[in-house]
Amino acid sequence: MNVKRLLGVFAHPDDETLLAGALLARYAAGGARVGVLCAAPGGDVTRDRLRAACTELGVATVSTLRYSGSPAWPDGSRRDVMGLRLAEVRQDDLAGRIAGQISEFQPDAVLTHSTYGDYGHPDHAAVCSAVIRAMREMQPSSARLFTLSWPDRLVRLNLRMMRLRGADVTRMGPHGDFNLAQAVADAPKRSLSVEVSQWLGIRKAASRVYLEEISRGPLPLRMLERAPVALQRVALGRMGLAEPGVAKSLLR
């Protein structure tokens, strides 16, 4: 095991579990100290869910920033009642706060969202961009940076389905300034694939904390989360990662 301290940086509660839970559980079970930083944790209830899910995954520390979540599509407003929304935050401000958390945790590996926001969420893309900026500004640093990388076929299918519903995937986010199609085209290529099927049972246990969020999600997500672990292994048994600006992986 090469990784001794792994920090996952995510936008919302449930991202750490539904997107990366099996991977975090794998390294926690292997003896690594795993931390999670959530940028838009929501209210007390969702923060409690975040901590409960992280306990299931074996995460040692949970930290939060105090931003609000953003809508996926333009809504004409600037601020949420709880404060500045993630997709509206100045990148240098967000990167600075994330850099402070990275310095405090002292990881040798940092994991975050894909550059295209996984399924196209502007908050995910904003956090990824800020983490990349934070890591570059912290150089020299011994920590390696990894972004989630989903199968090309799945990403293209998501784009196609969104377009079929009449969505403009070039104008997403609260002010229409997130171009998902371009972000997908510019994404770094997957550099490695990590076997996590053994830890999908732990991920499933943690995901029960988020039944309310899952019930509001798209049909494919609801079907996947309701499937037995044996079937989940087909879709979730390996986690793809990309390494923007990194030549050698620690997570092999």
Side-chain angles (χ1 to χ4, degrees):
M1 173 67 67
N2 291 324
V3 174
K4 296 180 179 179
R5 298 180 70 86
L6 171 63
L7 178 65
V9 185
F10 303 101
H12 315 113
D14 80 12
D15 293 337
E16 83 295 329
T17 296
L18 302 184
L19 299 179
L23 189 145
L24 297 180
R26 168 183 168 157
Y27 288 99
R33 183 170 179 81
V34 177
V36 162
L37 170 62
C38 180
D44 291 341
V45 172
T46 52
R47 285 196 294 271
D48 288 345
R49 289 176 185 163
L50 168 66
R51 293 188 178 94
C54 284
T55 297
E56 289 281 359
L57 297 174
V59 171
T61 65
V62 179
S63 301
T64 59
L65 303 178
R66 289 304 179 102
Y67 298 110
S68 295
S70 311
W73 306 99
D75 70 349
S77 64
R78 291 299 303 181
R79 288 177 179 268
D80 184 84
V81 293
M82 294 181 65
L84 193 61
R85 299 182 298 196
L86 261 179
E88 300 170 330
V89 177
R90 284 171 50 95
Q91 277 286 296
D92 54 350
D93 291 342
L94 182 56
R97 296 190 69 185
I98 290 172
Q101 295 284 336
I102 293 172
S103 295
E104 183 176 340
F105 190 79
Q106 289 292 299
D108 50 23
V110 177
L111 172 70
T112 191
H113 297 286
S114 71
T115 55
Y116 45 87
D118 307 308
Y119 49 86
H121 200 298
D123 281 352
H124 296 190
V127 167
C128 178
S129 178
V131 171
I132 291 173
R133 182 167 182 164
M135 293 289 288
R136 287 175 178 166
E137 292 178 352
M138 292 173 67
Q139 295 299 325
S141 171
S142 59
R144 303 284 192 174
L145 172 61
F146 303 89
T147 62
L148 296 174
S149 180
W150 306 99
D152 288 344
R153 208 177 308 180
L154 182 62
V155 173
R156 302 291 176 184
L157 176 62
N158 180 51
L159 279 174
R160 190 175 303 117
M161 292 178 66
M162 293 169 78
R163 285 172 170 143
L164 286 173
R165 295 197 302 268
D168 184 353
V169 296
T170 68
R171 292 181 54 81
M172 295 181 65
H175 307 294
D177 51 5
F178 174 51
N179 187 332
L180 173 58
Q182 190 62 53
V184 168
D186 293 343
K189 297 297 183 184
R190 176 186 297 199
S191 57
L192 68 151
S193 179
V194 180
E195 172 62 44
V196 296
S197 58
Q198 182 179 338
W199 294 272
L200 286 175
I202 297 175
R203 176 196 177 277
K204 192 171 184 66
S207 72
R208 295 191 185 103
V209 172
Y210 295 118
L211 291 178
E212 181 178 335
E213 287 80 1
I214 292 169
S215 70
R216 297 195 303 263
L219 179 60
L221 172 66
R222 299 198 304 269
M223 293 176 63
L224 179 63
E225 294 303 327
R226 290 169 182 167
V229 171
L231 291 179
Q232 288 184 349
R233 288 194 181 100
V234 177
L236 303 174
R238 299 194 69 86
M239 290 292 302
L241 299 175
E243 302 170 83
V246 178
K248 185 178 180 181
S249 170
L250 288 175
L251 289 178
R252 297 191 186 282

